[in-house]
């Protein structure tokens, strides 16, 4: 996803051992029931069924809720497009959107006070950045005007470094700490904000610019003519959707663009504090503000010395600001996984489990690891599939290979390891972090161009269903990167496929369990009421078919630590007839004949 976002040209990148299911998997608590206390509780139902605005009439009824309930969305100049997107997301059961944002960028200034581009042109020259060239005051560039005003307060003052930040939001007065030196600058239909940061990152509340001359950092924000976040939150209120706006993305380390640059922590935290203070002033009590998104992506691994990892240092500082200024609003982070054996610096499931703990200690409230199937860095397979050839769509990434040769583990291995780490953090360190899954809705390479998504192509619903199955019993919510354009391109689009096939059953786990005095199998998943269950294993001539409506038992009550839509069905099984060590293939079929895209497996080892 990192390289996908780079291809988009966005200023940001957005951002175990063999699996044995059932008895060998750590079970999600099946006896405990929850109601409104679920950590993945849906947003409140919209108060009305429709509303009209300049973009038309919009329906707020939820009609076809799918297992994925959150989506990334892109900034859009067409605000009616945003309205259409949130309506479509709501229709397929979405209650969460994560907003891609922008990055803080240190810039050089030429002799005429003009801000230069971040990258040189083909001739190696840095040209003036036209976006910030529009910012002028009293015939001076905004950089020159800032230095003039600083020197007027004390001749020893100077702008020692300049930074720019682009956004389509517009802030209120809460973004200013020192209004005598900071201001909103309107030039025609363009809006800029001038912020002044202390060199040491202290963001001095005394605003004393006169008693001692010193260097300051200028942060020049190119803002929107209107505030996009206000509009998104208004739509969120209408549709019952939580919005996670992006924190400012940290500048990248020039010696390694996958790392955040700790040199600029002070300026980054100043900008973060100012923006969040403004959010706190303007959006206090807004139900639709679900939290904030940390957009700087990193690969999750077992760091030898986490406290000295630059990106984690930046995380900790930024997250401390969120805790201070927006208490109670969780930080969402979405690291990626890399399980490829033939690539350096990848990680086993056990190593990722340790990395999960280090990441949680930076103060995040929600960790939603990318399943990394879309990039081909992790495969969707079961332990008894290790000797099978990889999916054709993975071959551009791992070549002609088997799953066991290509990867240290499967999606399910990694999420189980992180689930176990989550429980250990809760029980041993009193750190309660939510584990979500970010299912990538694209393929490593495209056969057709999908909007602005570069070389990636959209996936299909069976592959999405499979991903939902494999992250299975270890996550409390499933979200996806990203709505536009992967869910909206093509005909029919993936969104349309979800709307027409949303009730297809999806099993996520099979557990051997007694009910009263009878032994059997409990299957968890989506839309399992009245399903027909088919059991098979190697050596069985005729698969066994069980009608759960006739001889089974269905419970649709929410299950602790799982998405609220997950239910469970129990069927009787004569385990004496099942060979020891057999991998039992469990397939579920709806009453209308639709079969789940992916079976689950139960390993009969006990």
């Amino acid at each position: 996803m990192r390289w996908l976002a780079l291809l988009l040209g966005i200023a940001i990148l957005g951002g175990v051992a063999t699996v044995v299911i059932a008895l060998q998997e750590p079970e999600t608590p099946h006896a405990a029931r929850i109601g409104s206390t679920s950590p993945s509780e849906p947003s409140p139902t919209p108060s009305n069924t429709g509303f009209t605005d300049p973009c038309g009439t919009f329906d707020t009824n939820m009609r076809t809720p799918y297992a994925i309930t959150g989506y990334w969305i892109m900034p859009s100049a067409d605000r009616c497009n945003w309205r259409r997107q949130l309506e479509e997301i709501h229709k397929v059961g979405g209650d969460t959107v994560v907003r891609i944002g922008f990055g803080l960028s240190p810039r050089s200034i030429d002799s005429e006070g003009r801000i230069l581009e971040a990258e040189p042109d083909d001739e190696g020259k840095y040209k003036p950045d036209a976006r910030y060239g529009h910012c002028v005051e009293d015939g001076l560039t905004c950089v020159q005007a800032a230095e003039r005003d600083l020197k007027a307060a004390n001749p020893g003052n100077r702008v020692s470094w300049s930074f720019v930040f682009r956004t389509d939001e517009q802030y209120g007065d809460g973004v200013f700490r020192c209004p005598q030196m900071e201001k909103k600058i309107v030039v025609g239909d363009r809006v800029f904000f001038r912020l002044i940061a202390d060199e040491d990152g202290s963001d001095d509340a005394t605003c004393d610019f006169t008693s001692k001359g010193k260097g300051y950092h200028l942060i020049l924000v190119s803002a929107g003519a209107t505030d996009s976040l206000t509009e998104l939150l208004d739509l969120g209120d209408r549709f019952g959707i939580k919005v996670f706006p992006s924190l400012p993305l940290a500048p990248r380390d020039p010696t390694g663009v996958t790392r955040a640059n700790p040199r600029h922590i002070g300026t980054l935290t100043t900008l973060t504090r100012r923006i969040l203070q403004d959010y706190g002033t303007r959006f206090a009590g807004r139900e639709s503000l679900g939290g904030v998104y940390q957009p700087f992506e990193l690969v999750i691994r077992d760091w030898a010395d986490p406290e000295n990892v630059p990106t984690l240092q930046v995380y900790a500082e930024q997250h401390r600001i969120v805790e201070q200024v927006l208490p109670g609003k969780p930080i969402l982070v979405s690291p990626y996984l890399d399980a490829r054996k033939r690539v350096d610096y990848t990680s086993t499931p056990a190593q990722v489990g340790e990395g999960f703990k280090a990441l949680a200690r930076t103060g995040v409230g929600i960790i939603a690891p990318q399943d990394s199937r879309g990039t081909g860095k992790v495969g969707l397979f079961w332990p008894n599939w290790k000797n099978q050839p990889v999916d054709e769509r993975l071959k551009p990434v791992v070549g002609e290979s088997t799953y066991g040769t290509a990867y240290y583990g499967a999606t399910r291995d990694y999420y189980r390891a992180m689930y176990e780490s989550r429980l250990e953090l809760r029980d041993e360190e009193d750190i309660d972090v939510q584990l979500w899954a970010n299912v990538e809705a694209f393929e490593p390479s495209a056969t057709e161009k999908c909007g602005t998504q570069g070389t990636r192509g959209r996936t299909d619903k069976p592959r999405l269903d499979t991903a939902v199955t494999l992250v299975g019993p270890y996550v409390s919510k499933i979200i996806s990167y990203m709505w536009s354009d992967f869910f909206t391109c093509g005909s029919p689009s993936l969104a349309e496929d979800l709307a027409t096939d949303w009730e297809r059953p999806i099993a996520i786990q099979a557990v051997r369990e007694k009910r009263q005095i009878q032994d059997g199998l409990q299957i968890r998943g989506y839309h399992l009421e009245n399903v027909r269950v088919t059991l098979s294993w190697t050596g069985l001539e005729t698969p066994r078919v069980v009608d759960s409506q006739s001889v089974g038992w269905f419970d649709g009550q929410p299950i602790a630590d799982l998405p609220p839509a997950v239910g469970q069905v129990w069927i009787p099984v004569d385990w004496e007839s099942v060979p020891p060590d057999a991998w039992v293939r469990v397939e579920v079929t709806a009453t209308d004949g639709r079969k789940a895209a992916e079976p689950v497996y139960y390993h009969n080892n006990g």
Side-chain angles (χ1 to χ4, degrees), residues 375-399:
T375 58
K377 294 181 174 67
V378 186
L380 296 171
F381 62 97
W382 296 92
N384 50 321
W385 291 12
K386 284 190 173 183
N387 294 326
Q388 293 187 16
V390 299
D391 187 319
E392 285 289 331
R393 294 173 289 187
L394 293 172
K395 290 181 179 179
V397 181
V398 297

Side-chain angles (χ1 to χ4, degrees), residues 141-205:
T141 70
C142 283
V143 176
Q144 292 171 329
E147 190 134 37
R148 175 200 64 189
D149 294 346
L150 284 167
K151 288 186 177 296
N154 187 306
N157 288 338
R158 68 192 186 282
V159 174
S160 58
W161 209 327
S162 296
F163 294 78
V164 298
F165 181 72
R166 174 190 173 189
T167 182
D168 57 1
E169 297 178 27
Q170 189 177 135
Y171 309 118
D173 291 342
V175 78
F176 301 127
R177 182 179 288 270
C178 303
Q180 74 270 37
M181 197 62 66
E182 300 175 323
K183 61 173 65 176
K184 178 179 178 179
I185 305 162
V186 180
V187 183
D189 60 352
R190 300 177 185 271
V191 178
F192 300 89
F193 288 85
R194 182 175 90 186
L195 306 178
I196 303 297
D198 287 89
E199 279 186 320
D200 62 4
S202 61
D203 202 19
D204 186 5

Side-chain angles (χ1 to χ4, degrees), residues 496-531:
E496 290 170 323
D497 287 341
L498 297 188
T500 58
D501 197 39
W502 65 282
E503 287 184 296
R504 182 181 294 272
I506 303 174
I508 64 172
Q509 186 182 35
V511 179
R512 182 172 175 173
E513 185 169 295
K514 285 187 175 182
R515 186 168 185 263
Q516 297 176 354
I517 63 171
Q518 193 170 14
D519 209 349
L521 191 70
Q522 183 168 269
I523 305 155
R524 296 185 180 127
Y526 301 83
H527 307 299
L528 298 183
E529 188 169 9
N530 300 329
V531 294

Side-chain angles (χ1 to χ4, degrees), residues 193-273:
F193 288 85
R194 182 175 90 186
L195 306 178
I196 303 297
D198 287 89
E199 279 186 320
D200 62 4
S202 61
D203 202 19
D204 186 5
T206 66
C207 299
D208 181 7
F209 295 96
T210 61
S211 61
K212 179 183 179 181
K214 60 180 182 179
Y216 292 93
H217 291 177
L218 167 67
I219 306 173
L220 189 60
V221 178
S222 173
T226 59
D227 182 34
S228 64
L229 183 54
T230 295
E231 297 178 31
L232 271 180
L233 293 176
D234 288 346
L235 286 169
D237 289 336
R238 292 283 191 177
F239 288 112
I241 290 177
K242 303 281 191 182
V243 179
F244 283 73
S246 175
L247 294 172
L249 180 80
R252 300 189 176 281
D253 189 328
T255 65
V257 295
T258 61
R259 299 190 299 269
N261 193 342
R263 181 177 186 178
H264 303 300
I265 285 180
T267 308
L268 176 71
T269 54
T270 293
L271 177 61
T272 302
R273 182 183 298 108

Side-chain angles (χ1 to χ4, degrees), residues 43-96:
S43 300
T45 302
S47 58
N48 57 337
T49 58
F51 69 97
T52 301
D53 65 12
C55 299
T57 300
F58 291 84
D59 186 358
T60 57
N61 285 315
M62 185 185 297
R63 291 196 286 266
T64 56
Y66 182 59
I68 296 172
T69 55
Y71 300 88
W72 266 259
I73 59 172
M74 291 281 291
S76 176
D78 180 0
R79 299 300 167 76
C80 290
N81 184 46
W82 259 351
R83 289 160 169 77
R84 286 189 293 270
Q85 288 186 48
L86 263 70
E87 180 188 23
E88 293 165 351
I89 287 170
H90 175 75
K91 283 182 178 178
V92 295
D95 59 21
T96 303

Side-chain angles (χ1 to χ4, degrees), residues 224-429:
T226 59
D227 182 34
S228 64
L229 183 54
T230 295
E231 297 178 31
L232 271 180
L233 293 176
D234 288 346
L235 286 169
D237 289 336
R238 292 283 191 177
F239 288 112
I241 290 177
K242 303 281 191 182
V243 179
F244 283 73
S246 175
L247 294 172
L249 180 80
R252 300 189 176 281
D253 189 328
T255 65
V257 295
T258 61
R259 299 190 299 269
N261 193 342
R263 181 177 186 178
H264 303 300
I265 285 180
T267 308
L268 176 71
T269 54
T270 293
L271 177 61
T272 302
R273 182 183 298 108
R274 301 298 192 79
I275 291 173
L276 296 186
Q277 285 175 344
D278 184 58
Y279 287 179
T281 299
R282 294 189 294 132
F283 305 133
R286 286 293 290 267
E287 188 70 22
S288 52
L289 181 61
V292 292
Y293 167 50
Q294 168 58 263
F296 202 105
E297 293 183 3
L298 81 169
V299 59
I300 187 168
R301 55 185 300 110
D302 184 9
W303 296 280
D305 190 7
E307 292 184 357
N308 290 321
V309 174
T311 304
L312 295 182
Q313 291 174 340
V314 170
Y315 273 21
E317 290 297 316
Q318 250 190 324
H319 300 169
R320 181 173 55 85
I321 300 300
V322 178
E323 184 178 354
Q324 292 173 351
V325 181
L326 285 180
K329 296 296 183 181
I331 302 161
L332 165 67
V333 64
S334 187
Y336 63 98
L337 307 171
D338 199 333
R340 293 173 294 170
K341 287 183 176 179
R342 296 171 180 171
V343 178
D344 292 336
Y345 307 113
T346 58
S347 300
T348 66
Q351 290 169 330
V352 163
E354 290 304 309
F356 181 92
K357 294 179 181 180
L359 189 53
R361 294 179 186 123
T362 69
V364 297
I366 303 165
I367 302 177
Q370 301 163 32
D371 73 347
S372 298
R373 168 55 181 79
T375 58
K377 294 181 174 67
V378 186
L380 296 171
F381 62 97
W382 296 92
N384 50 321
W385 291 12
K386 284 190 173 183
N387 294 326
Q388 293 187 16
V390 299
D391 187 319
E392 285 289 331
R393 294 173 289 187
L394 293 172
K395 290 181 179 179
V397 181
V398 297
E400 295 281 349
S401 181
T402 64
Y403 283 113
T405 300
Y407 300 109
Y408 287 115
T411 297
R412 204 169 181 92
D413 296 307
Y414 285 91
Y415 280 90
R416 185 179 68 239
M418 292 184 286
Y419 173 82
E420 291 170 343
S421 293
R422 174 184 172 270
L423 296 181
E424 290 172 7
L425 284 167
R426 183 193 64 190
D427 296 340
E428 299 172 10
E429 302 182 37

